[in-house]
């Protein structure tokens, strides 16, 4: 991939047109520091990441971050618990909340496309303490998803063979993540582009497989259509019988959807390193609706068509924690129809999806910590970037935390996976709540200061009602996620702690920082809406596109532009 053209003179940083930060004394010359001078310690630190992500990278990063093993494998657990009707309705319903979050984020990020945008916006538009709590919540969320995907990759590989020891697989995956993320952002963008293409190929292929087989295109020539929606039925009972049991089944599917469906956070985190972001980012956000419909809504529909929720193999797969794609409803359906080879292909593509998702989490976790450090909310060492614009110490810390995946060597992969799932689900919902509330405060500031939203690169319709809708749904679901511990006979201290720990940590961080720094809740007239805007506008005015020398990449860039 060709580098972004330098649009400034040699004494300027090629990214933002600001003075390039000096090389740190006593630090390897390959590492650049953005520390302020000693006499101005309160001055915001310099963002020295580079804008090298092209439109095709932004589009596929958005896909790569949203699609993981949950859409191919763990979605089957929702099918078992709620049935095909509950699963489809839950995913379609939850996508409406994520779409509203996306519209809210799009307006703010396209106006000010900076590194770790929604984390820093929370501090700028609401309260500095609110931004700190949001930042560390997102960092913990993303960092803990890295070992989750490492464990998932190990499980998937063992679908074929147990010859390679678990520790060796984990070490290899972590080293690969380090190689991709440390050696310049362009490697991340390029690797994620191709890995995300594999994810798209897989989900499109599985939806096509569903359509073909349900119409009789299978070895048994069985036109089963929506048979499994009638027998055993569309709605499964869970914990209770009757209407209450069916509602609890639907609620479990909704919880599954709240963990599986994502999107705006991953697109937003790439804003600080996107080429020509005020043009590229609106297009990326506009395609989220189609992505949600195609991948999550159609995907949940296809799962319920392929296999009945009472299928013994599917139920046993989750009960006994079968490795790899053995628990995937698609693989179960292939086995029911006697289809060979395809299960191995699905497992291979699920492996690439898990690896890609973990790669995205390393990127997002490191950039969230970098954003905190830029605003003085984390140690200054985390602002240091390599000459190619990678916040290297942030990446190294995330990789160090990923060593938690070695816990599965002694505790078993199924147990460790559930630990991480319980821990991060509430964090994701808190993130979406933060984004929605931050937009509400942003709009109030725009109205109070006379900043016309018609002048923004992207203006969301029906605001702030969409933001309030998203906030309400995400906030309520944050507390619903661990509801099963309160049912008779279901109490579990570990489940309770992992489900609700971050709900307690977030206000503690907020209160601590508020009293420690004596921050204040920002009134609409006191919000600084112009900070860093001149820098973005200068970049936009001076931006000159530089096509890739590779003709194939030129065609790809045109397609995704």
């Amino acid at each position: 991939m060709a580098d972004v053209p330098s649009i400034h003179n040699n004494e300027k940083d090629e990214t933002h047109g600001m003075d390039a930060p000096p090389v740190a004394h006593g630090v390897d010359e390959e590492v650049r520091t953005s520390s302020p001078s000693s006499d101005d310690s309160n001055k915001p630190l310099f963002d020295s990441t580079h804008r090298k992500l092209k439109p095709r990278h932004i589009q596929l990063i958005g896909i790569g971050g949203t699609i993981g093993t949950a859409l191919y494998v763990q979605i089957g657990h929702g099918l078992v618990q709620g049935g095909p009707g509950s699963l489809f309705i839950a995913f379609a319903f939850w996508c409406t909340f994520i779409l509203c979050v996306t519209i809210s984020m799009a307006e703010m990020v396209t106006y000010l496309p900076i590194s770790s945008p929604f984390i820093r916006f929370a501090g700028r538009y609401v309260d500095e303490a609110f931004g700190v709590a949001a930042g560390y919540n997102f960092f913990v969320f993303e960092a803990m998803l890295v070992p989750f995907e490492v464990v998932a990759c190990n499980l998937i590989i063992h679908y074929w063979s147990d010859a390679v020891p678990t520790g060796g697989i984990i070490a290899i995956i972590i080293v690969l993540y380090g190689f991709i993320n440390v050696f310049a952002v362009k490697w991340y963008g390029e690797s994620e582009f191709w890995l995300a293409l594999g994810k798209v190929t897989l989900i499109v292929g599985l939806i096509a497989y569903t359509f073909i087989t349900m119409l009789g295109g299978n070895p048994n020539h069985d036109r089963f259509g929506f048979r499994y929606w009638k027998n055993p039925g569309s709605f499964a009972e869970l914990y209770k019988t009757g209407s209450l049991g069916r509602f609890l089944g639907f609620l479990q599917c909704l919880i599954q959807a709240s963990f599986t469906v994502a999107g705006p956070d991953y697109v937003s985190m790439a804003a600080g390193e996107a080429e020509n972001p005020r043009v590229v980012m609106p297009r990326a956000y506009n395609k989220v609706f189609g992505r949600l419909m195609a991948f999550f809504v159609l995907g949940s529909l296809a799962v319920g068509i392929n296999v009945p929720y009472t299928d013994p193999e599917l139920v046993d797969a989750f009960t006994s924690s079968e490795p790899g794609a053995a628990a995937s409803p698609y693989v179960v359906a292939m086995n029911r129809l006697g289809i060979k080879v395809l299960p191995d292909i699905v497992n291979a593509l699920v492996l690439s999806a898990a690896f890609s998702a973990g790669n995205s989490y390393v990127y997002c976790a490191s950039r969230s910590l970098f954003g905190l450090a830029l605003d003085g909310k984390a140690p200054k060492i985390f602002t240091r970037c390599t000459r190619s614009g990678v916040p290297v110490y942030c990446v190294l810390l995330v990789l160090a935390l990923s060593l938690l995946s070695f816990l599965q060597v002694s505790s078993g992969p199924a147990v460790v996976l559930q630990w991480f799932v319980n821990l991060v689900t509430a964090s994701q919902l808190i993130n979406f709540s933060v984004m929605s509330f931050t937009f509400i405060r942003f709009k109030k500031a725009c109205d109070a200061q006379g900043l016309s939203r018609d002048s923004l690169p992207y203006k969301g319709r029906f605001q702030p009602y969409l933001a309030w809708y998203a906030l309400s749904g995400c906030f309520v679901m944050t507390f619903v996620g661990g509801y099963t511990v309160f049912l008779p006979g279901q109490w579990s201290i570990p489940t309770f702690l992992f489900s609700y720990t971050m709900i307690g940590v977030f206000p503690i961080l907020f209160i601590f920082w508020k009293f420690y720094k004596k921050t204040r809740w920002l009134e609409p007239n006191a919000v600084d809406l112009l900070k860093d805007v001149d820098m973005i506008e200068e970049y936009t005015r001076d931006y000159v596109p530089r096509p890739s020398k590779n003709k194939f990449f030129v065609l790809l860039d045109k397609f995704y532009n």
Side-chain angles (χ1 to χ4, degrees), residues 68-336:
T69 53
L71 183 60
Y72 305 119
V73 180
Q74 288 172 302
I75 194 173
H77 201 196
L79 177 64
V80 170
Q81 293 179 314
S86 291
L87 189 71
F88 174 69
I89 295 171
F91 269 75
F93 180 55
W94 187 250
C95 281
T96 64
F97 292 104
I98 303 305
L99 180 62
C100 293
V101 175
T102 302
I103 292 172
S104 301
M105 280 305 300
E107 190 164 320
M108 293 187 292
V109 173
T110 54
Y111 171 64
L112 191 59
I114 56 178
S115 295
S116 305
F118 68 85
I119 295 171
R120 298 167 76 184
F121 293 161
R124 291 186 184 189
Y125 303 152
V126 183
D127 186 315
E128 182 182 331
F130 190 69
V132 170
Y136 279 103
N137 177 76
F138 185 74
F139 172 71
V140 170
F141 166 65
E142 292 293 329
M144 289 301 100
L145 278 172
V146 177
F148 168 83
E149 293 296 346
V150 173
V151 174
C153 286
N154 176 62
L155 270 172
I156 293 165
I157 291 172
H158 281 119
Y159 174 81
W160 290 297
S161 172
D162 293 329
V164 182
T166 296
I169 294 175
I170 294 172
I172 291 170
I173 294 169
I174 293 174
V175 168
L176 287 174
Y177 284 158
F179 177 83
I180 292 171
N181 282 272
V182 170
F183 290 93
V185 68
K186 67 179 181 181
W187 291 104
Y188 167 78
E190 210 60 66
S191 64
E192 192 60 24
F193 175 78
W194 294 107
L195 289 170
L197 275 181
K199 293 183 180 185
V200 175
T201 301
L202 177 56
I203 189 61
V204 171
L206 291 176
I207 292 174
Y209 159 85
T210 301
F211 181 75
I212 293 170
T213 55
M214 70 184 292
L215 295 180
N218 57 72
N220 299 333
H221 304 293
D222 181 12
R223 294 175 61 90
F224 54 86
F226 284 84
R227 177 187 303 161
Y228 304 131
W229 284 59
K230 297 179 181 179
N231 183 22
S234 301
F235 302 96
E237 296 175 345
L238 184 66
Y239 301 124
K240 304 288 184 178
T241 59
S243 299
L244 179 58
R246 288 189 289 273
F247 172 75
L248 292 178
F250 166 78
L251 193 57
Q252 203 63 40
C253 290
L254 194 61
I255 294 171
Q256 175 76 49
S258 69
F259 172 74
T260 305
V261 183
D265 39 355
Y266 298 103
V267 175
S268 301
M269 290 302 290
E273 294 166 78
E275 284 189 12
N276 200 17
R278 284 194 165 176
V279 173
V280 171
M281 297 304 293
R283 295 173 181 169
Y285 283 116
N286 281 332
K287 294 182 179 180
V288 168
F289 176 76
R291 187 180 307 147
L292 292 174
M293 290 295 296
F295 299 146
F296 296 109
V297 177
L298 287 181
S300 64
L301 178 63
V303 165
I305 291 173
N306 274 293
V307 62
Y309 68 84
T310 55
D311 183 90
E313 184 182 355
L314 184 65
V315 175
D316 291 344
F318 287 102
T319 303
S320 58
S321 300
E322 291 291 336
S328 171
Y330 296 105
V331 172
V332 172
M334 293 170 188
N335 292 337
R336 287 173 62 93

Side-chain angles (χ1 to χ4, degrees), residues 12 112 207 345 480:
K12 302 283 186 180
L112 191 59
I207 292 174
I345 296 174
V480 171

